[in-house]
Amino acid sequence: GIQVEQSPPDLILQEGANSTLRCNFSDSVNNLQWFHQNPWGQLINLFYIPSGTKQNGRLSATTVATERYSLLYISSSQTTDSGVYFCAVLNAGGTSYGKLTFGQGTILTVHP
Amino acid sequence: NAGVTQTPKFQVLKTGQSMTLQCAQDMNHEYMSWYRQDPGMGLRLIHYSVGAGITDQGEVPNGYNVSRSTTEDFPLRLLSAAPSQTSVYFCASSYFGQSYEQYFGPGTRLTVT
């Protein structure tokens, strides 16, 4: 099956710093989503981005499908950005039927 | 619009007990699925459904049963709980199609003793 690798596994920042999280995947995808799992365990949709670039406030994401990677940018980080960031992909192909394959996540800690 | 809702939020079971985790969505999504999240293993697909009356197995289906009698509801049944089923369970839904942009419920934290 498709492999998804996220880096770095852990990231510690001071409030106000910028960061880039990376997601590499091993095959063609029809769907790529970024999620933030907050300290209460909720999975929050950040971006649906199988290709191209999107921005939402301090967050932006870019997916280069031909090179099989996606980047999540967090600018001017805040303590509320802390949590785990997951990349999840849907393998292109007829039998996937919506099965998202998740990366292992990046644990982000933002200190005041 | 409540999105995807799950009940209960927390549950403790004894080994061998059975229970049903509830999932409902009000977005008229055809596709619904159940994942479990274990430490260090990310989320893994248990079962999914592409519409009312149609279900299929995911990556880790053993010990779980599902049915889909309506578009809105997709309950997950634990037939005889085991400690290995201690996990956080998430339900998700999306429109059926090529992209499957999925929305997740708040999760149910299950402990089996």
Side-chain angles (χ1 to χ4, degrees):
Chain A
I2 192 168
Q3 305 297 315
V4 181
E5 291 183 3
Q6 291 186 241
S7 59
D10 297 276
L11 189 57
I12 300 174
L13 300 174
Q14 285 298 124
E15 208 166 23
N18 303 329
S19 61
T20 301
L21 283 59
R22 187 176 180 101
C23 172
N24 292 335
F25 43 95
S26 61
D27 205 347
S28 302
V29 298
N30 284 339
N31 174 6
L32 187 146
Q33 292 184 246
W34 283 98
F35 297 92
H36 174 214
Q37 187 165 39
N38 64 23
W40 295 270
Q42 291 181 300
L43 278 168
I44 311 297
N45 283 37
L46 296 178
F47 293 102
Y48 164 72
I49 187 164
S51 63
T53 297
K54 289 186 178 179
Q55 178 148 11
N56 185 2
R58 297 181 294 104
L59 273 59
S60 64
T62 295
T63 297
V64 184
T66 53
E67 297 187 23
R68 298 182 182 166
Y69 73 89
S70 183
L71 302 174
L72 177 69
Y73 305 97
I74 304 174
S75 64
S76 303
S77 58
Q78 301 175 358
T79 56
T80 51
D81 295 331
S82 296
V84 185
Y85 288 80
F86 287 104
C87 165
V89 303
L90 176 66
N91 202 180
T95 60
S96 293
Y97 290 119
K99 175 186 179 292
L100 286 177
T101 299
F102 282 76
Q104 295 294 86
T106 292
I107 302 172
L108 175 64
T109 304
V110 181
H111 289 302
Chain B
N1 206 350
V4 181
T5 58
Q6 292 182 236
T7 56
K9 286 189 168 53
F10 302 94
Q11 183 71 49
V12 178
L13 290 178
K14 291 190 184 334
T15 297
Q17 287 184 316
S18 62
M19 80 158 293
T20 300
L21 307 186
Q22 301 291 346
C23 174
Q25 52 90 12
D26 61 358
M27 297 175 280
N28 207 29
H29 285 164
E30 302 93 345
Y31 181 87
M32 296 184 74
S33 57
W34 278 100
Y35 289 81
R36 60 178 286 175
Q37 184 178 25
D38 301 301
M41 299 195 72
L43 279 80
R44 293 179 293 167
L45 182 66
I46 305 171
H47 284 287
Y48 65 90
S49 168
V50 299
I54 306 169
T55 64
D56 207 344
Q57 297 180 353
E59 188 181 351
V60 288
N62 292 341
Y64 307 96
N65 208 354
V66 292
S67 60
R68 184 98 178 267
S69 56
T70 67
T71 301
E72 295 77 20
D73 300 298
F74 190 44
L76 178 73
R77 295 184 190 84
L78 279 69
L79 308 172
S80 176
S84 60
Q85 293 178 303
T86 293
S87 188
V88 181
Y89 292 85
F90 288 96
C91 178
S93 73
S94 75
Y95 290 112
F96 180 79
Q98 190 178 21
S99 66
Y100 293 98
E101 181 181 1
Q102 297 190 40
Y103 297 85
F104 282 77
T108 294
R109 187 174 296 272
L110 175 69
T111 302
V112 183
T113 61

